[in-house]
Amino acid sequence: MKKLLIFALFMLPLLANAEEVMVDGIKYIVDMDTKTAEVIGSYNNEDKLVYIPSTVTVETVRMMTYRVTSIAEGAFRNHQMEELYLPESLETIGDQAFAYCTNMKSIILGESVTTIGGGAFHDTGLEHIYVCASQIPETFPDNSGTPDNIDWAKMTLHVPAGLVEDYKNSDQPYWSDVRDENIVALPAQRFVEVKTGDFEYTIDEIAMTAEVTGYGNNEAKNLTVPSTIESADNTYRVTSIGERALSSNDHVVSLTVSEGVKIIESGAFAHCHSLQEISLPNSVVIVGSYAFDRCTYLRYLSMGTGVRSIGHDAFVETGGLEDLYIYAPQIPMTSKSTDDNPNNELSSPIKVHVP
């Protein structure tokens, strides 16, 4: 008993420095010592889109930013997701992390992934796996001693050109069950910066998508984020507006986001002091924290039917907001403000228009 008590006392500092939090619909355990975060699940297992950022900022003992490095064992087991956005910071995927996600068709693993647990993709709908790491990630068999129940012989595995032969010769679970002819080379360069029209973008050559990262025209008063862009004879779907991408522009008065954009990242429109109206399409699912931070002259904001999550402090000092239209058929999930500043809250005269 004495030994158990000593062990328990030894563990107390470790437990005290870890805390479970939820940010924008994703559940994490954050470690205040290592400043890292592990994904342990999501608020709603029926969401069709799951977006995991590279960092999360939360107030635990104090305001801190944590780097997202791992997905816990069984974190998304039985999830109904159809689209998954994983961060480039991700290093470890736990056992059965995505088991029974039957709607998943593809997954992109970034350059930092080193370990994939047993049965991570057990009974999923995966047809394509993209592994961007410069070294083959370590993998493990599931509890029954077999890599998975999906047909890996039909899987297409996309890997860096210099590792194609290494994957073909690998005896590790997952990779050893993919047919040699189904192991193909990734594009030489995944991310490309381009500037076209009124905006700057980061293009993803694997997903064939584009993220808005900045203004190409800082003086335009009326702007529209397009649904697609053309570059090097290819068409890319514009699916997200990046963190603080369109912030701190004192010229823009009206901004429209076209159908197809799904994610508005943290602070995307922050400090646009002249912005008076903005319309988000039905395709937008996630509106990040501080999205409209200090848009002091914002009067009109419309969100479409798809919005499921609105991050904390999304409306800091938007005291001029008069009409907020939310067309979603269910109440979007919202997060508590990170402090008690009354300016973080919607003002009482605002009219919220809902179904």
Side-chain angles (χ1 to χ4, degrees):
M1 179 65 70
K2 186 175 181 180
K3 289 182 178 179
L4 287 174
L5 179 60
I6 292 172
F7 177 75
L9 291 173
F10 174 75
M11 288 297 291
L12 279 176
L14 298 179
L15 295 173
N17 287 329
E19 184 171 338
E20 182 175 328
V21 299
M22 182 156 60
V23 179
D24 297 341
I26 302 296
K27 299 176 184 177
Y28 304 87
I29 291 180
V30 296
D31 188 315
M32 285 170 266
D33 290 331
T34 62
K35 294 184 179 178
T36 59
E38 179 177 57
V39 178
I40 59 172
S42 67
Y43 174 75
N44 187 351
N45 271 8
E46 295 184 359
D47 284 341
K48 301 304 180 186
L49 182 149
V50 172
Y51 170 72
I52 303 172
S54 292
T55 61
V56 289
T57 300
V58 295
E59 183 175 26
T60 48
V61 175
R62 58 188 183 277
M63 186 71 72
M64 292 179 65
T65 297
Y66 301 87
R67 187 168 176 265
V68 181
T69 58
S70 59
I71 296 177
E73 177 179 346
F76 294 101
R77 184 184 173 97
N78 291 313
H79 202 286
Q80 298 303 304
M81 69 178 78
E82 295 177 359
E83 290 186 78
L84 173 65
Y85 292 77
L86 293 175
E88 286 297 296
S89 57
L90 184 65
E91 299 172 2
T92 303
I93 298 174
D95 293 352
Q96 298 214 346
F98 299 103
Y100 306 105
C101 294
T102 54
N103 295 325
M104 286 179 62
K105 299 302 179 185
S106 65
I107 188 169
I108 300 175
L109 306 180
E111 295 181 357
S112 300
V113 173
T114 60
T115 307
I116 302 173
F121 310 119
H122 187 94
D123 267 3
T124 63
L126 282 173
E127 298 172 356
H128 295 268
I129 294 183
Y130 301 83
V131 186
C132 302
S134 59
Q135 295 184 335
I136 299 178
E138 185 177 11
T139 57
F140 300 90
D142 67 16
N143 294 332
S144 65
T146 58
D148 257 307
N149 280 355
I150 61 175
D151 191 349
W152 284 84
K154 296 180 180 179
M155 178 74 63
T156 301
L157 177 63
H158 307 256
V159 300
L163 294 179
V164 169
E165 293 303 317
D166 292 335
Y167 274 94
K168 289 180 179 180
N169 295 324
S170 174
D171 59 359
Q172 289 193 72
Y174 303 146
W175 324 134
S176 60
D177 293 296
V178 180
R179 290 176 177 170
D180 285 356
E181 60 268 28
N182 289 348
I183 300 176
V184 299
L186 289 167
Q189 184 178 0
R190 179 180 177 185
F191 297 112
V192 179
E193 308 296 327
V194 300
K195 183 176 179 180
T196 179
D198 291 325
F199 302 101
E200 298 170 351
Y201 303 87
T202 295
I203 284 173
D204 186 335
E205 295 286 2
I206 294 176
M208 297 299 290
T209 59
E211 176 177 89
V212 178
T213 56
Y215 290 101
N217 183 352
N218 284 325
E219 297 186 358
K221 292 186 177 181
N222 301 292
L223 292 170
T224 298
V225 176
S227 57
T228 62
I229 61 170
E230 304 289 329
S231 179
D233 297 324
N234 289 319
T235 301
Y236 300 87
R237 294 176 294 114
V238 180
T239 56
S240 59
I241 298 176
E243 184 173 347
R244 303 193 69 83
L246 302 183
S247 66
S248 302
N249 183 313
D250 287 335
H251 292 277
V252 62
V253 174
S254 173
L255 199 152
T256 300
V257 179
S258 296
E259 191 71 26
V261 175
K262 300 174 182 179
I263 300 164
I264 308 296
E265 294 192 18
S266 176
F269 310 110
H271 296 255
C272 288
H273 298 297
S274 298
L275 183 62
Q276 296 181 22
E277 58 181 64
I278 183 169
S279 297
L280 302 181
N282 294 333
S283 57
V284 168
V285 176
I286 296 168
V287 176
S289 305
Y290 302 103
F292 308 99
D293 178 11
R294 290 172 177 82
C295 291
T296 49
Y297 286 94
L298 186 64
R299 298 287 184 266
Y300 170 93
L301 171 60
S302 174
M303 299 185 186
T305 58
V307 64
R308 295 291 180 268
S309 173
I310 301 174
H312 66 80
D313 300 288
F315 304 102
V316 175
E317 295 190 24
T318 56
L321 188 58
E322 299 172 352
D323 290 283
L324 173 59
Y325 291 80
I326 302 177
Y327 292 94
Q330 62 188 47
I331 299 176
M333 177 190 173
T334 55
S335 301
K336 183 180 179 181
S337 173
T338 56
D339 60 43
D340 294 325
N341 182 352
N343 292 327
N344 289 1
E345 308 300 333
L346 289 170
S347 59
S348 56
I350 189 175
K351 291 182 181 178
V352 181
H353 306 259
V354 300

